[in-house]
Amino acid sequence: DAGVTQSPTHLIKTRGQQVTLRCSPKSGHDTVSWYQQALGQGPQFIFQYYEEEERQRGNFPDRFSGHQFPNYSSELNVNALLLGDSALYLCASSAWGDEQFFGPGTRLTVL
Amino acid sequence: GIQVEQSPPDLILQEGANSTLRCNFSDSVNNLQWFHQNPWGQLINLFYIPSGTKQNGRLSATTVATERYSLLYISSSQTTDSGVYFCAVKRWIQGAQKLVFGQGTRLTINP
């Protein structure tokens, strides 16, 4: 049983560019949550998707957007990248309301 | 919003020692998870524990929800236990769940 997978593993972008990160949940999971982890900090909640809808959003600007597909996989899009967007982006999947399991993350560097 | 505080922030021990990590939270929660983050950034699930005590090998966790704290015990530490340990509390808000993380405890086990 494959766990949560994310792609790409690493990404380097320049300020002002746009990026798309992808996440495939564990088999049997229907909920995907995205988190941003800055260096030396705990992960911060970005948003959660269930039934292809954004269910809740953390304190992140509209430059951060997402999507969930019918197969429960998800994308995180970040527009107009800033230096401060450099972080590890983590995807977590769960059955609705249950324990969350995390993928290996995508490390984004903005130059 | 809810505050999650972990202590100590750093802990350095010799192999074979025991340790106790603490997580305090400022409001009632629906559940609590403990994670170990390895050097590559992967968050590994340790415990999903809203209350009571659970054990898994050398690790155990206790959550006292009425007093708003949780403890993670590691016995007979091994060098592979090194890394950052996070607790995260789950809150149901506006029909969705999110995890709120503490800042982590960095554990270093020396041979």
Side-chain angles (χ1 to χ4, degrees):
Chain A
D1 175 29
V4 183
T5 60
Q6 292 186 242
S7 63
T9 305
H10 295 87
L11 205 50
I12 299 175
K13 292 286 188 178
T14 56
R15 281 176 295 175
Q17 287 189 310
Q18 178 264 343
V19 68
T20 297
L21 311 182
R22 295 176 176 83
C23 172
S24 291
K26 281 176 62 106
S27 176
H29 286 181
D30 55 10
T31 304
V32 173
S33 304
W34 287 92
Y35 295 81
Q36 180 197 65
Q37 186 177 20
L39 199 61
Q41 305 292 317
Q44 298 289 317
F45 175 78
I46 302 175
F47 41 51
Q48 182 177 81
Y49 278 86
Y50 173 68
E51 294 185 332
E52 302 180 48
E53 290 187 10
E54 183 182 296
R55 295 292 172 157
Q56 192 187 8
R57 188 179 188 90
N59 189 24
F60 281 82
D62 291 344
R63 298 187 297 108
F64 289 76
S65 63
H67 190 77
Q68 185 179 34
F69 299 94
N71 67 352
Y72 308 120
S73 67
S74 178
E75 290 181 348
L76 165 65
N77 301 292
V78 186
N79 294 322
L81 284 167
L82 303 174
L83 295 179
D85 294 332
S86 295
L88 179 67
Y89 288 84
L90 295 163
C91 166
S93 78
S94 64
W96 177 245
D98 207 348
E99 183 178 5
Q100 294 188 23
F101 293 84
F102 283 78
T106 294
R107 194 166 297 278
L108 172 65
T109 302
V110 182
L111 302 177
Chain B
I2 190 169
Q3 303 298 313
V4 181
E5 295 183 359
Q6 292 186 243
S7 59
D10 292 279
L11 190 56
I12 301 174
L13 299 171
Q14 291 297 120
E15 202 166 22
N18 301 328
S19 58
T20 301
L21 282 58
R22 187 177 180 100
C23 173
N24 292 331
F25 41 97
S26 60
D27 204 345
S28 60
V29 299
N30 300 105
N31 217 314
L32 185 145
Q33 292 189 237
W34 281 98
F35 297 93
H36 175 209
Q37 189 166 42
N38 66 22
W40 298 273
Q42 174 79 58
L43 281 168
I44 299 163
N45 289 46
L46 298 177
F47 294 101
Y48 185 56
I49 181 169
S51 63
T53 297
K54 291 186 176 180
Q55 181 151 9
N56 184 4
R58 297 181 295 104
L59 274 62
S60 65
T62 296
T63 297
V64 184
T66 52
E67 297 186 21
R68 298 179 184 169
Y69 74 89
S70 184
L71 301 173
L72 177 68
Y73 305 96
I74 305 174
S75 65
S76 304
S77 298
Q78 301 174 359
T79 56
T80 52
D81 294 330
S82 295
V84 182
Y85 289 79
F86 287 102
C87 76
V89 299
K90 187 167 78 173
R91 299 287 304 274
W92 279 90
I93 299 175
Q94 298 174 340
Q97 54 167 324
K98 74 173 188 180
L99 290 178
V100 178
F101 283 78
Q103 292 293 88
T105 292
R106 181 173 298 277
L107 178 63
T108 303
I109 304 297
N110 292 321

mmCIF file of all heavy atoms in Angstrom, chain B residues 47-81:
data_model
loop_
_atom_site.group_PDB
_atom_site.id
_atom_site.type_symbol
_atom_site.label_atom_id
_atom_site.label_comp_id
_atom_site.label_asym_id
_atom_site.label_seq_id
_atom_site.Cartn_x
_atom_site.Cartn_y
_atom_site.Cartn_z
ATOM 1 N N PHE B 47 1.801 8.582 17.421
ATOM 2 C CA PHE B 47 0.594 8.309 18.195
ATOM 3 C C PHE B 47 -0.539 9.240 17.770
ATOM 4 O O PHE B 47 -0.316 10.380 17.392
ATOM 5 C CB PHE B 47 0.847 8.497 19.705
ATOM 6 C CG PHE B 47 1.800 7.509 20.289
ATOM 7 C CD1 PHE B 47 3.115 7.861 20.529
ATOM 8 C CD2 PHE B 47 1.379 6.219 20.611
ATOM 9 C CE1 PHE B 47 4.016 6.944 21.065
ATOM 10 C CE2 PHE B 47 2.255 5.298 21.144
ATOM 11 C CZ PHE B 47 3.576 5.665 21.369
ATOM 12 N N TYR B 48 -1.736 8.687 17.845
ATOM 13 C CA TYR B 48 -2.982 9.419 17.615
ATOM 14 C C TYR B 48 -3.767 9.219 18.900
ATOM 15 O O TYR B 48 -4.309 8.142 19.144
ATOM 16 C CB TYR B 48 -3.693 8.820 16.412
ATOM 17 C CG TYR B 48 -4.949 9.501 15.939
ATOM 18 C CD1 TYR B 48 -4.955 10.841 15.600
ATOM 19 C CD2 TYR B 48 -6.124 8.768 15.772
ATOM 20 C CE1 TYR B 48 -6.102 11.448 15.119
ATOM 21 C CE2 TYR B 48 -7.281 9.369 15.295
ATOM 22 C CZ TYR B 48 -7.263 10.706 14.963
ATOM 23 O OH TYR B 48 -8.396 11.305 14.479
ATOM 24 N N ILE B 49 -3.769 10.238 19.788
ATOM 25 C CA ILE B 49 -4.140 9.964 21.172
ATOM 26 C C ILE B 49 -4.908 11.133 21.782
ATOM 27 O O ILE B 49 -4.309 12.065 22.311
ATOM 28 C CB ILE B 49 -2.880 9.587 22.001
ATOM 29 C CG1 ILE B 49 -3.235 9.281 23.445
ATOM 30 C CG2 ILE B 49 -1.762 10.626 21.872
ATOM 31 C CD1 ILE B 49 -2.105 8.653 24.247
ATOM 32 N N PRO B 50 -6.238 11.099 21.725
ATOM 33 C CA PRO B 50 -7.023 12.193 22.304
ATOM 34 C C PRO B 50 -7.029 12.191 23.829
ATOM 35 O O PRO B 50 -7.191 13.247 24.455
ATOM 36 C CB PRO B 50 -8.427 11.917 21.778
ATOM 37 C CG PRO B 50 -8.458 10.440 21.548
ATOM 38 C CD PRO B 50 -7.061 10.070 21.108
ATOM 39 N N SER B 51 -6.832 11.010 24.419
ATOM 40 C CA SER B 51 -6.785 10.913 25.878
ATOM 41 C C SER B 51 -6.230 9.539 26.235
ATOM 42 O O SER B 51 -6.167 8.637 25.386
ATOM 43 C CB SER B 51 -8.173 11.089 26.497
ATOM 44 O OG SER B 51 -9.026 10.057 26.066
ATOM 45 N N GLY B 52 -5.792 9.412 27.479
ATOM 46 C CA GLY B 52 -5.294 8.124 27.945
ATOM 47 C C GLY B 52 -3.852 7.876 27.568
ATOM 48 O O GLY B 52 -3.110 8.800 27.275
ATOM 49 N N THR B 53 -3.464 6.616 27.614
ATOM 50 C CA THR B 53 -2.076 6.213 27.391
ATOM 51 C C THR B 53 -2.011 5.143 26.314
ATOM 52 O O THR B 53 -2.848 4.236 26.287
ATOM 53 C CB THR B 53 -1.455 5.681 28.700
ATOM 54 O OG1 THR B 53 -1.426 6.738 29.661
ATOM 55 C CG2 THR B 53 -0.045 5.172 28.466
ATOM 56 N N LYS B 54 -1.015 5.278 25.433
ATOM 57 C CA LYS B 54 -0.745 4.271 24.414
ATOM 58 C C LYS B 54 0.739 3.956 24.434
ATOM 59 O O LYS B 54 1.564 4.814 24.757
ATOM 60 C CB LYS B 54 -1.148 4.756 23.017
ATOM 61 C CG LYS B 54 -2.650 4.892 22.808
ATOM 62 C CD LYS B 54 -2.955 5.234 21.373
ATOM 63 C CE LYS B 54 -4.465 5.283 21.132
ATOM 64 N NZ LYS B 54 -4.796 5.624 19.722
ATOM 65 N N GLN B 55 1.068 2.731 24.052
ATOM 66 C CA GLN B 55 2.474 2.317 24.011
ATOM 67 C C GLN B 55 2.749 1.624 22.689
ATOM 68 O O GLN B 55 1.901 0.885 22.165
ATOM 69 C CB GLN B 55 2.803 1.377 25.176
ATOM 70 C CG GLN B 55 4.256 0.927 25.195
ATOM 71 C CD GLN B 55 4.757 0.622 26.586
ATOM 72 O OE1 GLN B 55 3.991 0.581 27.540
ATOM 73 N NE2 GLN B 55 6.057 0.419 26.710
ATOM 74 N N ASN B 56 3.955 1.868 22.174
ATOM 75 C CA ASN B 56 4.404 1.217 20.955
ATOM 76 C C ASN B 56 5.903 0.986 21.092
ATOM 77 O O ASN B 56 6.715 1.866 20.841
ATOM 78 C CB ASN B 56 4.106 2.074 19.731
ATOM 79 C CG ASN B 56 4.470 1.366 18.436
ATOM 80 O OD1 ASN B 56 4.886 0.204 18.448
ATOM 81 N ND2 ASN B 56 4.326 2.052 17.325
ATOM 82 N N GLY B 57 6.255 -0.207 21.534
ATOM 83 C CA GLY B 57 7.669 -0.529 21.728
ATOM 84 C C GLY B 57 8.280 0.314 22.824
ATOM 85 O O GLY B 57 7.774 0.361 23.940
ATOM 86 N N ARG B 58 9.379 1.024 22.477
ATOM 87 C CA ARG B 58 10.057 1.855 23.475
ATOM 88 C C ARG B 58 9.381 3.206 23.680
ATOM 89 O O ARG B 58 9.795 3.984 24.541
ATOM 90 C CB ARG B 58 11.505 2.091 23.031
ATOM 91 C CG ARG B 58 12.345 0.834 22.935
ATOM 92 C CD ARG B 58 13.790 1.156 22.511
ATOM 93 N NE ARG B 58 13.836 1.709 21.149
ATOM 94 C CZ ARG B 58 14.025 2.984 20.879
ATOM 95 N NH1 ARG B 58 14.169 3.871 21.844
ATOM 96 N NH2 ARG B 58 14.061 3.380 19.611
ATOM 97 N N LEU B 59 8.384 3.497 22.881
ATOM 98 C CA LEU B 59 7.704 4.781 22.973
ATOM 99 C C LEU B 59 6.329 4.607 23.617
ATOM 100 O O LEU B 59 5.653 3.605 23.395
ATOM 101 C CB LEU B 59 7.519 5.386 21.579
ATOM 102 C CG LEU B 59 8.653 6.207 20.995
ATOM 103 C CD1 LEU B 59 9.916 5.385 20.815
ATOM 104 C CD2 LEU B 59 8.239 6.833 19.677
ATOM 105 N N SER B 60 5.964 5.609 24.386
ATOM 106 C CA SER B 60 4.606 5.661 24.920
ATOM 107 C C SER B 60 4.174 7.121 24.993
ATOM 108 O O SER B 60 5.012 8.028 25.004
ATOM 109 C CB SER B 60 4.498 4.988 26.289
ATOM 110 O OG SER B 60 5.260 5.688 27.245
ATOM 111 N N ALA B 61 2.860 7.329 25.020
ATOM 112 C CA ALA B 61 2.327 8.682 25.097
ATOM 113 C C ALA B 61 1.135 8.693 26.031
ATOM 114 O O ALA B 61 0.380 7.717 26.105
ATOM 115 C CB ALA B 61 1.918 9.188 23.718
ATOM 116 N N THR B 62 1.000 9.809 26.733
ATOM 117 C CA THR B 62 -0.135 10.015 27.622
ATOM 118 C C THR B 62 -0.716 11.383 27.347
ATOM 119 O O THR B 62 0.030 12.373 27.305
ATOM 120 C CB THR B 62 0.289 9.931 29.100
ATOM 121 O OG1 THR B 62 0.745 8.606 29.378
ATOM 122 C CG2 THR B 62 -0.863 10.283 30.024
ATOM 123 N N THR B 63 -2.025 11.461 27.158
ATOM 124 C CA THR B 63 -2.714 12.736 27.003
ATOM 125 C C THR B 63 -3.729 12.886 28.120
ATOM 126 O O THR B 63 -4.548 11.986 28.346
ATOM 127 C CB THR B 63 -3.421 12.835 25.641
ATOM 128 O OG1 THR B 63 -2.452 12.777 24.598
ATOM 129 C CG2 THR B 63 -4.190 14.146 25.528
ATOM 130 N N VAL B 64 -3.647 14.022 28.825
ATOM 131 C CA VAL B 64 -4.633 14.375 29.852
ATOM 132 C C VAL B 64 -5.390 15.577 29.311
ATOM 133 O O VAL B 64 -4.989 16.733 29.509
ATOM 134 C CB VAL B 64 -3.949 14.681 31.199
ATOM 135 C CG1 VAL B 64 -5.010 14.943 32.261
ATOM 136 C CG2 VAL B 64 -3.043 13.541 31.613
ATOM 137 N N ALA B 65 -6.470 15.294 28.608
ATOM 138 C CA ALA B 65 -7.185 16.349 27.888
ATOM 139 C C ALA B 65 -7.773 17.392 28.833
ATOM 140 O O ALA B 65 -7.802 18.580 28.515
ATOM 141 C CB ALA B 65 -8.285 15.733 27.025
ATOM 142 N N THR B 66 -8.226 16.948 30.002
ATOM 143 C CA THR B 66 -8.856 17.887 30.947
ATOM 144 C C THR B 66 -7.837 18.896 31.468
ATOM 145 O O THR B 66 -8.213 20.005 31.860
ATOM 146 C CB THR B 66 -9.470 17.134 32.121
ATOM 147 O OG1 THR B 66 -8.477 16.269 32.686
ATOM 148 C CG2 THR B 66 -10.670 16.303 31.669
ATOM 149 N N GLU B 67 -6.551 18.513 31.491
ATOM 150 C CA GLU B 67 -5.510 19.428 31.953
ATOM 151 C C GLU B 67 -4.696 19.994 30.790
ATOM 152 O O GLU B 67 -3.719 20.711 30.999
ATOM 153 C CB GLU B 67 -4.608 18.731 32.970
ATOM 154 C CG GLU B 67 -5.380 18.310 34.222
ATOM 155 C CD GLU B 67 -4.474 17.749 35.305
ATOM 156 O OE1 GLU B 67 -3.254 18.031 35.292
ATOM 157 O OE2 GLU B 67 -4.992 17.001 36.165
ATOM 158 N N ARG B 68 -5.074 19.641 29.577
ATOM 159 C CA ARG B 68 -4.523 20.236 28.352
ATOM 160 C C ARG B 68 -3.024 20.023 28.204
ATOM 161 O O ARG B 68 -2.255 20.980 27.974
ATOM 162 C CB ARG B 68 -4.883 21.720 28.263
ATOM 163 C CG ARG B 68 -6.394 21.923 28.204
ATOM 164 C CD ARG B 68 -6.775 23.366 28.147
ATOM 165 N NE ARG B 68 -8.227 23.521 28.187
ATOM 166 C CZ ARG B 68 -8.840 24.684 28.366
ATOM 167 N NH1 ARG B 68 -8.129 25.791 28.512
ATOM 168 N NH2 ARG B 68 -10.159 24.741 28.382
ATOM 169 N N TYR B 69 -2.607 18.765 28.337
ATOM 170 C CA TYR B 69 -1.223 18.455 28.050
ATOM 171 C C TYR B 69 -1.095 17.010 27.602
ATOM 172 O O TYR B 69 -1.977 16.176 27.852
ATOM 173 C CB TYR B 69 -0.302 18.722 29.245
ATOM 174 C CG TYR B 69 -0.394 17.728 30.379
ATOM 175 C CD1 TYR B 69 0.395 16.581 30.405
ATOM 176 C CD2 TYR B 69 -1.268 17.951 31.437
ATOM 177 C CE1 TYR B 69 0.314 15.680 31.443
ATOM 178 C CE2 TYR B 69 -1.349 17.049 32.488
ATOM 179 C CZ TYR B 69 -0.570 15.922 32.493
ATOM 180 O OH TYR B 69 -0.662 15.023 33.525
ATOM 181 N N SER B 70 0.028 16.742 26.916
ATOM 182 C CA SER B 70 0.370 15.395 26.506
ATOM 183 C C SER B 70 1.870 15.195 26.718
ATOM 184 O O SER B 70 2.641 16.153 26.622
ATOM 185 C CB SER B 70 0.010 15.160 25.038
ATOM 186 O OG SER B 70 0.246 13.829 24.644
ATOM 187 N N LEU B 71 2.252 13.966 27.008
ATOM 188 C CA LEU B 71 3.646 13.606 27.237
ATOM 189 C C LEU B 71 4.029 12.468 26.309
ATOM 190 O O LEU B 71 3.254 11.533 26.099
ATOM 191 C CB LEU B 71 3.861 13.178 28.689
ATOM 192 C CG LEU B 71 3.509 14.186 29.775
ATOM 193 C CD1 LEU B 71 3.613 13.544 31.152
ATOM 194 C CD2 LEU B 71 4.415 15.397 29.692
ATOM 195 N N LEU B 72 5.245 12.560 25.771
ATOM 196 C CA LEU B 72 5.814 11.487 24.967
ATOM 197 C C LEU B 72 7.044 10.962 25.699
ATOM 198 O O LEU B 72 7.941 11.737 26.037
ATOM 199 C CB LEU B 72 6.211 11.993 23.577
ATOM 200 C CG LEU B 72 6.890 10.979 22.654
ATOM 201 C CD1 LEU B 72 5.902 9.880 22.251
ATOM 202 C CD2 LEU B 72 7.461 11.659 21.415
ATOM 203 N N TYR B 73 7.054 9.655 25.979
ATOM 204 C CA TYR B 73 8.165 9.020 26.666
ATOM 205 C C TYR B 73 8.962 8.179 25.671
ATOM 206 O O TYR B 73 8.378 7.404 24.908
ATOM 207 C CB TYR B 73 7.668 8.097 27.772
ATOM 208 C CG TYR B 73 6.751 8.722 28.789
ATOM 209 C CD1 TYR B 73 5.372 8.620 28.660
ATOM 210 C CD2 TYR B 73 7.257 9.378 29.904
ATOM 211 C CE1 TYR B 73 4.520 9.167 29.598
ATOM 212 C CE2 TYR B 73 6.403 9.930 30.847
ATOM 213 C CZ TYR B 73 5.036 9.821 30.689
ATOM 214 O OH TYR B 73 4.182 10.368 31.623
ATOM 215 N N ILE B 74 10.272 8.333 25.720
ATOM 216 C CA ILE B 74 11.156 7.490 24.923
ATOM 217 C C ILE B 74 12.103 6.796 25.889
ATOM 218 O O ILE B 74 12.836 7.466 26.634
ATOM 219 C CB ILE B 74 11.957 8.308 23.895
ATOM 220 C CG1 ILE B 74 11.006 9.122 23.016
ATOM 221 C CG2 ILE B 74 12.836 7.392 23.041
ATOM 222 C CD1 ILE B 74 11.719 10.078 22.056
ATOM 223 N N SER B 75 12.089 5.492 25.888
ATOM 224 C CA SER B 75 12.972 4.751 26.784
ATOM 225 C C SER B 75 14.122 4.130 26.000
ATOM 226 O O SER B 75 14.007 3.868 24.792
ATOM 227 C CB SER B 75 12.190 3.654 27.521
ATOM 228 O OG SER B 75 11.718 2.697 26.596
ATOM 229 N N SER B 76 15.233 3.924 26.698
ATOM 230 C CA SER B 76 16.424 3.287 26.107
ATOM 231 C C SER B 76 16.734 3.877 24.724
ATOM 232 O O SER B 76 16.772 3.164 23.716
ATOM 233 C CB SER B 76 16.205 1.776 25.990
ATOM 234 O OG SER B 76 15.886 1.215 27.242
ATOM 235 N N SER B 77 16.980 5.189 24.691
ATOM 236 C CA SER B 77 17.151 5.923 23.431
ATOM 237 C C SER B 77 18.223 5.306 22.545
ATOM 238 O O SER B 77 19.253 4.805 23.035
ATOM 239 C CB SER B 77 17.526 7.371 23.728
ATOM 240 O OG SER B 77 16.506 8.007 24.448
ATOM 241 N N GLN B 78 17.984 5.371 21.242
ATOM 242 C CA GLN B 78 18.946 4.942 20.234
ATOM 243 C C GLN B 78 19.269 6.129 19.339
ATOM 244 O O GLN B 78 18.475 7.081 19.244
ATOM 245 C CB GLN B 78 18.362 3.796 19.410
ATOM 246 C CG GLN B 78 17.975 2.587 20.251
ATOM 247 C CD GLN B 78 17.276 1.505 19.467
ATOM 248 O OE1 GLN B 78 17.033 1.633 18.270
ATOM 249 N NE2 GLN B 78 16.947 0.406 20.145
ATOM 250 N N THR B 79 20.422 6.061 18.668
ATOM 251 C CA THR B 79 20.818 7.195 17.817
ATOM 252 C C THR B 79 19.775 7.462 16.729
ATOM 253 O O THR B 79 19.592 8.599 16.306
ATOM 254 C CB THR B 79 22.186 6.940 17.176
ATOM 255 O OG1 THR B 79 22.141 5.701 16.458
ATOM 256 C CG2 THR B 79 23.280 6.876 18.241
ATOM 257 N N THR B 80 19.078 6.429 16.317
ATOM 258 C CA THR B 80 18.042 6.605 15.285
ATOM 259 C C THR B 80 16.809 7.355 15.798
ATOM 260 O O THR B 80 15.940 7.729 15.012
ATOM 261 C CB THR B 80 17.605 5.245 14.737
ATOM 262 O OG1 THR B 80 17.245 4.394 15.842
ATOM 263 C CG2 THR B 80 18.714 4.596 13.928
ATOM 264 N N ASP B 81 16.736 7.568 17.112
ATOM 265 C CA ASP B 81 15.634 8.365 17.659
ATOM 266 C C ASP B 81 15.863 9.861 17.460
ATOM 267 O O ASP B 81 14.963 10.668 17.706
ATOM 268 C CB ASP B 81 15.462 8.098 19.159
ATOM 269 C CG ASP B 81 15.013 6.685 19.468
ATOM 270 O OD1 ASP B 81 14.310 6.084 18.621
ATOM 271 O OD2 ASP B 81 15.364 6.166 20.547
#
